[in-house]
Amino acid sequence: MCLAVPGKIIEIFDEASLKMGRIDYDGTINKACLEYVPEAEIGQYALVHAGFAISVLNEEEAQKSLAAWQELQEKMGAR
Amino acid sequence: MKDEVSPGYPHALAKQEAVTLAHGSGGKFSAELIERFMLPRFANEHLNRLEDQATLALSTNRIAFSTDSYVVSPLFFPGGDIGDLAVNGTVNDVAMAGARPLYLSLALIIEEGLPFSDLERILDSIKRAAEQAGVAIVTGDTKVVERGSCDKIFINTSGIGILADNVRLGAERIEVGDKIIISGTLADHGMTILTSRNKLSFENSLTSDTAPLADLVQAMLQAAPNLHALRDPTRGGVAMTMNEFAQKSGLGFALNEEALPINGMVLAACEILGIDPLYVANEGKLIAVVRQDEADELLAAMRSHPQGEKAAIIGEVTNKNPGLVTLTTLLGATRVVDVPVAEQLPRIC
Amino acid sequence: MKYLSEFRDPSLAKALLAEIHSTVTQPWTLMEVCGGQTHAIVRSGIDQLLPPSLRLVHGPGCPVCVTPIAFIDKAINLAAHPEIILTTFGDMMRVPGSAGNLLEAKGRGADVRMVYSVLEAVTLAQEYPERQIVFFGVGFETTAPGNAMAILQARRLGLENFTILACHVLVPPALRALLDNPENRVDGYLAAGNVCTIMGLDEYQQIVDEYQVPIVATGLEPVDILAGILEAVRQLEKGEYQLENEYKRSVTATGNLHARKVIDQVFRRCNRTWRGIGLLPQSGLAIRDQFTAFDAEQKFQLQAAEETDNGCLAGQVLQGLLNPTECPYFGSRCKPEHPLGATMVSGEGACAAYYKYQGLIMKDEE
C-alpha cells in the first residue's frame, strides 16, 4: 500500500494555518502538507503520500545503504 | 458527465454572448453563426460555396478516409485545446496510412450556454492547426443541444488524404526482425490532462504534445521504402497500439524498458498518481514498424525532423510469445504488457 | 541524490540478486506484506529472477482489497444522495460492492469525485457550503495521519459539512493473525516501509520476539526489496530471527511521532472485519467520540446489505495461502474487466498484478 514519492521542497508556506510545501518532482510541481515534518527545510527531500509528507529523507542513511550495496557489487566483480 | 456548471454560462447567456438553441435551429441565427464565426476563419473555395456538401477533385483514386470525435475535458489545457486535438487527431489517423491529408469536415455539437469567447478560442485553434497541417476545412455542421445534453462542446472531424501508388502500410506487412520506433517521448498528453483536472494540488508544469504528423510521415516514407506499419498511440497508449499490432500480425512484440523515452517531469507525474506511462494517451507521436535493415536510416531521418527529435528504437518484432506484447524490465526480466481494460485511474496505494 | 534512480539501479539490483542466489541453500518462503511491494516485485520481474527455491507469497497489505463490502455499499448509498459529494481516492472507484461500484454509481448520476489528497475534500467543503462533503477514508497507517489532519482542519475551520467515512486498518494485527494460522508456511516477512515510516518498529520487534520469525522493513524500489530479501534469507540460512530496517532513509525506530500523536488524538483502535479474512480484533481505526461531528457513519443513517458470497477466494490469496494463478477462477470467471473480488481490481492487488504483468501463459518458442 502507500505509494509515496520523493520530491524536493522548494517553498514552504502557510495555507489556512497548515504548513504546506511546494514540492518539485523532477520538474512536476505539486503541493503537499508538511504538518508531519515540521523540521523540514527548503532543499530537503520529502517522501510524499496522498498529499502529505510522511518523512524527510535522510541523505546520510541513503548514502550508507547505497555504499553497503555497492560494496557487494565490487565483491562480485572481484570474484 | 459534468463535474461542475461552467461559471461563464449564465453570465454569458444573459449578456447574449453565448450560443443558444436558436443558433442550432437552421434559421437566421444558424446562418449568423456561420457568417460570424466560421467563414472568416475557414474561407476557401469549397466552404465559401455554402452548399450542403463539398465537391472535390482528387489526383488519385487511392484515398485514406478517417473519422474521430473529440470530447476531452477540460476543453483548454497547457499545449492546446479540443480544437487542436480535433484537427491533429484526424490528420494523424489519415497520415498513419502514409497518406497526405488534404480535407477535413468539421461537425460541432454545442451545449447551449457555451460562451462565444470559448467558441472563438476553439475555432481559432482549429484554424491554426489546420493551417499548420496543410488541410482545408471544406464542409461542416453545427448543432446546439439543451443544457446537460453534452459536455460544453463535442467535435467530430472526418478527413481525406491521398495515397501514393507505392505506399501500402498495414499490420499484415509486419515481419519477424522488424524494429519498433517511437517518434518521441511517452505520456505527455494524457498526464497533462490528468494533472490539469486537478488544479487544487497540481501546478501545470506539463504540456500536451498535440501536433500534426503528416509531414514527418512523408519524410519517413522517403527515408525507408520498407516501412511496414504506422500507428499513433492515442487512447490506451503505447500498450494498446502494440497489442493491436501483435494481435493483427500474430507476432510477438518485444519492448525494452530502458529504451522508452520519457520526460523526467512526466515520469514524475506518473509516479505521483500511480499511473503506468505505457497506457497513457499521446497526441503528437507515432509508432513505426520498419524492416530491420532500414531502422537506423529511418531513425536518423526522424531525428532530423522537428516532430521526431527524440525518436528511439524501443523494441523489435519476434516469433517468441506470438500475439503478445512483452517488456524486458530494467532488471532484465520479461513481463507481459497486457491490453488495457479501462482508463487508468490515479491511485494512492 | 534524488532518491529514485539510485534505488532502481539495475547493476546494484543484479549484484543483490547474485548474492541472494549464492546465499540460498534450501527452500524458503517469504511474504511481502505490502501491496506496493507486490506491485513493484511483479512489475520489475524480481519474482522471475530469484532462485527457484525461494518462494514469494503476497500478503494482505492492500487496503483496497481488505475494505469490507459493507463500506463500499455505504459509500455508494451516500453518493446517491443529491446533497452529498462523495470524494475518494481513485483506488476505490472500481472495487465491487454488493451491487456495482462507485464508478458505475457516478455513471448513474451520483456526484463522486476523485481527489489526490483529503485536503482537497476539505477545500470542496468550503467551496460548497450547501452540500455535504463525505470523504471515503480507506488505508493503512500511512494514510491515517492525513485523514486525521483533515478532521482537525475541518474543526479549525468550523466546517459543518465535512465528514469522513473511515475504514482504516492496521498491519500488525493482520500479521499476527497470519502467524497464528496453523496453515501458515511463511518463514520470513518483508514489512511495509511506508507504514513503518509512520508507526516505527516497536510492534514488529514484539512480533519477532513472540513468533521468532525474521522481519525486514523495506522500501518500494527494486533495490530496496532485493536488499530486504537478501537480509531475510541471510537470517534464515543462519537460523536467526531479527527485526532489521533496510529503509533507514525513511524509517526510524520510533517512526513519525507527530503523525502517531495525531492518529491517537483523532482515532481509536476498534475491531475490524477484513474482506476475505474475517474479524480481527483491534485491527482498525475508528473516529473518536469527540470528533463525531466529522464521522460519516454517525452523521448519516447508514445501512449495509448482507454480504453475499460469490465464491471469490481473495481471502486465501491475501493470507498467502493461495497463489492467484492457483485460483480456479483466475483468468476465466475472474478478470480485471469482470472481477470477482477486490484483489483483481486494486492497482496493487496480487491477482491484478499477476494478470496484468504475467498474462495468462507465456510460451517460449525457442
Side-chain angles (χ1 to χ4, degrees):
Chain A
M1 74 238 55
C2 331
L3 202 60
V5 189
K8 189 169 178 187
I9 302 172
I10 59 173
E11 192 189 320
I12 299 179
F13 60 96
D14 208 75
E15 193 172 86
S17 311
L18 286 179
K19 182 170 178 170
M20 301 290 290
R22 280 175 75 229
I23 316 291
D24 182 349
Y25 306 85
D26 217 359
T28 287
I29 300 180
N30 206 348
K31 266 189 337 194
C33 180
L34 300 180
E35 283 291 319
Y36 292 123
V37 289
E39 74 285 6
E41 291 168 17
I42 291 180
Q44 290 185 315
Y45 276 77
L47 189 64
V48 180
H49 166 72
F52 281 81
I54 57 174
S55 66
V56 171
L57 291 168
N58 186 325
E59 183 165 2
E60 201 187 309
E61 287 294 348
Q63 299 285 16
K64 267 164 57 180
S65 300
L66 287 171
W69 302 328
Q70 272 151 6
E71 241 180 67
L72 203 60
Q73 218 180 347
E74 279 144 38
K75 199 176 84 175
M76 306 259 98
R79 280 197 195 148
Chain B
M1 264 184 325
K2 283 170 20 164
D3 284 335
E4 57 205 64
V5 175
S6 174
Y9 280 35
H11 182 68
L13 266 174
K15 292 183 80 176
Q16 295 182 306
E17 285 172 11
V19 179
T20 64
L21 286 173
H23 287 112
S25 61
K28 180 176 159 216
F29 282 95
S30 297
E32 256 182 43
L33 198 77
I34 296 176
E35 281 184 29
R36 184 173 161 187
F37 295 113
M38 310 300 178
L39 287 183
R41 289 177 172 84
F42 304 122
N44 58 58
E45 51 165 330
H46 302 287
L47 206 58
N48 291 353
R49 294 176 64 227
L50 286 179
E51 294 285 347
D52 282 341
Q53 72 293 120
T55 332
L56 310 164
L58 302 172
S59 59
T60 163
N61 63 4
R62 288 188 73 225
I63 52 183
F65 178 38
S66 178
T67 188
D68 224 327
S69 299
Y70 302 88
V71 300
V72 70
S73 176
L75 296 180
F76 306 102
F77 43 84
D81 58 38
I82 191 175
D84 292 291
L85 295 184
V87 170
N88 293 331
T90 298
V91 158
N92 292 345
D93 279 343
V94 169
M96 292 304 113
R100 200 190 311 265
L102 293 177
Y103 305 116
L104 286 188
S105 70
L106 176 65
L108 310 176
I109 298 179
I110 306 176
E111 186 188 19
E112 65 167 332
L114 182 76
F116 284 157
S117 55
D118 282 354
L119 179 61
E120 289 193 283
R121 198 171 153 191
I122 292 168
L123 292 175
D124 282 340
S125 293
I126 292 175
K127 174 181 153 79
R128 221 176 24 243
E131 277 163 15
Q132 198 193 353
V135 297
I137 314 283
V138 297
T139 187
D141 179 64
T142 305
K143 294 286 184 298
V144 183
V145 293
E146 283 178 8
R147 175 80 61 83
S149 296
C150 89
D151 188 5
K152 303 195 190 69
I153 185 170
F154 290 162
I155 303 180
N156 171 279
T157 49
S158 300
I160 290 178
I162 49 175
L163 270 165
D165 276 336
N166 59 345
V167 175
R168 255 155 241 280
L169 302 177
E172 67 280 359
R173 289 200 58 203
I174 298 176
E175 296 166 356
V176 172
D178 282 359
K179 296 292 186 196
I180 305 165
I181 301 180
I182 192 169
S183 63
T185 52
L186 272 76
D188 296 339
H189 177 76
M191 293 317 292
T192 300
I193 296 293
L194 259 184
T195 54
S196 295
R197 284 190 189 142
N198 184 334
K199 297 213 169 61
L200 291 175
S201 289
F202 282 85
E203 285 183 25
N204 285 346
S205 336
L206 304 182
T207 313
S208 169
D209 62 345
T210 178
L213 300 172
D215 201 60
L216 173 64
V217 170
Q218 293 303 315
M220 289 166 68
L221 288 170
Q222 292 288 318
N226 284 290
L227 180 58
H228 289 158
L230 288 176
R231 199 165 278 209
D232 59 340
T234 52
R235 273 194 182 188
V238 169
M240 186 73 227
T241 301
M242 292 288 92
N243 272 289
E244 283 170 350
F245 275 152
Q247 280 164 18
K248 286 216 164 71
S249 65
L251 298 171
F253 276 65
L255 303 177
N256 189 354
E257 187 169 24
E258 223 173 4
L260 297 172
I262 183 164
N263 283 324
M265 63 172 82
V266 173
L267 184 59
C270 288
E271 306 274 356
I272 293 167
L273 293 176
I275 301 276
D276 185 341
L278 278 173
Y279 293 85
V280 179
N282 307 274
E283 289 289 336
K285 303 289 169 4
L286 58 75
I287 296 206
V289 183
V290 63
R291 207 173 70 184
Q292 57 186 311
D293 59 335
E294 292 180 7
D296 290 337
E297 265 179 56
L298 181 58
L299 188 65
M302 290 170 79
R303 282 188 174 159
S304 50
H305 190 284
Q307 302 301 341
E309 283 168 356
K310 298 223 180 111
I313 298 178
I314 60 171
E316 60 179 16
V317 180
T318 91
N319 49 21
K320 290 208 298 180
N321 304 310
L324 288 180
V325 181
T326 55
L327 181 80
T328 302
T329 71
L330 289 179
L331 298 196
T334 305
R335 62 168 176 89
V336 170
V337 179
D338 203 12
V339 179
V341 171
E343 192 193 331
Q344 279 187 100
L345 299 177
R347 56 190 183 95
I348 59 123
C349 285
Chain C
M1 167 75 72
K2 288 204 174 164
Y3 299 96
L4 265 187
S5 56
E6 299 90 347
F7 298 91
R8 292 176 178 172
D9 182 351
S11 53
L12 269 188
K14 284 171 185 164
L16 286 162
L17 271 166
E19 185 70 2
I20 291 169
H21 276 262
S22 57
T23 305
V24 167
T25 65
Q26 52 181 299
W28 300 113
T29 301
L30 295 179
M31 171 183 277
E32 85 278 357
V33 173
C34 167
Q37 289 166 323
T38 306
H39 188 93
I41 286 166
V42 183
R43 190 164 194 273
S44 64
I46 284 176
D47 54 334
Q48 293 176 35
L49 300 170
L50 292 171
S53 58
L54 182 53
R55 208 175 133 231
L56 285 182
V57 302
H58 312 295
C62 165
V64 169
C65 303
V66 303
T67 298
I69 296 184
F71 270 93
I72 299 175
D73 291 344
K74 286 177 190 177
I76 294 176
N77 289 342
L78 283 171
H81 291 232
E83 81 274 13
I84 289 180
I85 301 178
L86 194 286
T87 53
T88 175
F89 296 130
D91 313 55
M92 297 309 294
M93 293 291 281
R94 293 196 176 107
V95 181
S98 306
N101 60 36
L102 280 169
L103 193 62
E104 288 158 5
K106 185 175 157 86
R108 289 193 298 271
D111 196 341
V112 178
R113 305 193 195 185
M114 285 187 296
V115 296
Y116 164 68
S117 160
V118 61
L119 293 179
E120 292 175 30
V122 176
T123 304
L124 279 176
Q126 290 175 285
E127 282 178 14
Y128 294 92
E130 75 286 5
R131 306 282 296 277
Q132 286 287 333
I133 298 350
V134 178
F135 178 73
F136 193 7
V138 165
F140 278 88
E141 295 94 320
T142 327
T143 323
N147 294 345
M149 183 61 63
I151 286 178
L152 291 179
Q153 182 67 352
R155 188 173 67 168
R156 193 179 299 139
L157 293 170
L159 295 176
E160 291 180 354
N161 61 339
F162 176 80
T163 53
I164 294 187
L165 178 63
C167 185
H168 285 291
V169 279
L170 303 169
V171 173
L175 202 42
R176 284 170 180 277
L178 293 175
L179 285 159
D180 286 336
N181 187 331
E183 288 178 57
N184 183 359
R185 295 283 170 270
V186 176
D187 302 308
Y189 296 82
L190 303 180
N194 292 329
V195 169
C196 297
T197 296
I198 300 291
M199 300 303 285
L201 299 168
D202 314 328
E203 292 167 299
Y204 299 90
Q205 184 63 63
Q206 284 166 22
I207 292 176
V208 166
D209 294 340
E210 278 176 48
Y211 292 89
Q212 302 184 354
V213 280
I215 298 182
V216 185
T218 86
L220 294 189
E221 298 304 328
V223 167
D224 290 320
I225 293 172
L226 286 168
I229 292 174
L230 176 59
E231 174 56 33
V233 297
R234 271 180 176 161
Q235 288 191 39
L236 288 169
E237 288 284 334
K238 286 193 265 182
E240 291 171 5
Y241 51 90
Q242 277 152 43
L243 174 64
E244 276 298 331
N245 179 0
E246 285 290 343
Y247 193 28
K248 294 199 175 99
R249 65 188 186 275
S250 184
V251 174
T252 61
T254 47
N256 185 323
L257 291 170
H258 305 286
R260 290 176 69 177
K261 185 165 151 230
V262 175
I263 289 177
D264 276 338
Q265 184 187 357
V266 175
F267 293 107
R268 60 174 172 81
R269 299 209 170 195
C270 65
N271 298 336
R272 178 75 76 211
T273 303
W274 292 46
R275 183 171 181 170
I277 297 178
L279 180 72
L280 296 181
Q282 300 297 292
S283 65
L285 293 176
I287 298 173
R288 285 190 189 272
D289 291 341
Q290 58 262 48
F291 297 99
T292 211
F294 305 100
D295 187 341
E297 287 212 75
Q298 301 303 319
K299 188 169 199 174
F300 303 102
Q301 297 307 311
L302 295 176
Q303 266 148 1
E306 284 286 312
E307 292 206 7
T308 49
D309 185 4
N310 64 3
C312 171
L313 298 173
Q316 300 224 13
V317 173
L318 288 166
Q319 296 179 74
L321 299 170
L322 188 72
N323 185 285
T325 52
E326 293 164 0
C327 170
Y329 310 127
F330 180 81
S332 52
R333 264 184 71 202
C334 185
K335 291 182 183 187
E337 51 263 45
H338 46 80
L340 284 185
T343 45
M344 186 55 91
V345 171
S346 164
E348 41 169 44
C351 301
Y354 270 77
Y355 193 90
K356 184 170 173 216
Y357 295 119
Q358 297 195 358
L360 294 180
I361 303 165
M362 272 172 53
K363 295 194 185 86
D364 197 328
E365 296 288 357
E366 283 195 336

